[in-house]
Amino acid sequence: QVQLVESGGGSVQAGGSLRLSCSISGSIRSNYCTGWFRQAPGKERDWVGVIDGSGRPKYASSVMGRFTLSKGDTQNTVFLQMNNLTPEDTAMYYCAADPYCSTHYWPPRLPDAYKYWGQGTQVTVSS
């Protein structure tokens, strides 16, 4: 069984930074992609970015230049470094795994492309 666990959320002031972690355990197809989504109350779940098995990242335009995806040394941890945060970044952040991303379109932006999801971690940015 594949499990994803997010951590690192919290409350910061505008202009601050947070680093989210996504730890993945269990048996999963190699070369999977790890995506991040966020969802604010009353809004749809928005794609933030994705990193593939080789470490290639892709970002949504709303976070380009502020957020950075990276893989940990063990390859089963993905980090989302978030800098220059604004109140508009306030949301629940989810990581998700797409085991088949090497076989379909890139980047996978839609939630339906992802088979496994974490429970989320809250990020709150105050002005």
Side-chain angles (χ1 to χ4, degrees):
Q1 183 177 357
V2 177
Q3 290 188 322
L4 286 77
V5 178
E6 304 94 337
S7 61
S11 297
V12 296
Q13 291 190 326
S17 299
L18 284 173
R19 189 175 82 155
L20 305 185
S21 300
C22 176
S23 295
I24 304 167
S25 61
S27 178
I28 187 170
R29 194 171 183 263
S30 63
N31 293 323
Y32 64 90
C33 293
T34 306
W36 284 88
F37 290 79
R38 63 187 182 184
Q39 188 168 20
K43 295 189 176 181
E44 294 185 349
R45 188 168 294 192
D46 290 333
W47 177 72
V48 173
V50 62
I51 187 167
D52 72 3
S54 66
R56 174 180 56 159
K58 190 73 173 178
Y59 304 98
S61 57
S62 59
V63 306
M64 186 84 70
R66 300 188 300 123
F67 290 13
T68 303
L69 283 163
S70 62
K71 283 181 169 287
D73 291 339
T74 61
Q75 294 293 310
N76 62 352
T77 301
V78 169
F79 301 105
L80 178 64
Q81 177 68 42
M82 306 186 297
N83 298 329
N84 195 22
L85 287 161
T86 73
E88 289 69 35
D89 295 315
T90 295
M92 184 71 79
Y93 282 71
Y94 300 90
C95 67
D98 174 4
Y100 305 105
C101 64
S102 62
T103 64
H104 60 60
Y105 62 93
W106 172 262
R109 291 189 174 94
L110 300 178
D112 287 348
Y114 296 83
K115 183 175 182 180
Y116 306 105
W117 290 82
Q119 294 300 307
T121 186
Q122 178 67 38
V123 171
T124 302
V125 185
S126 58
S127 58

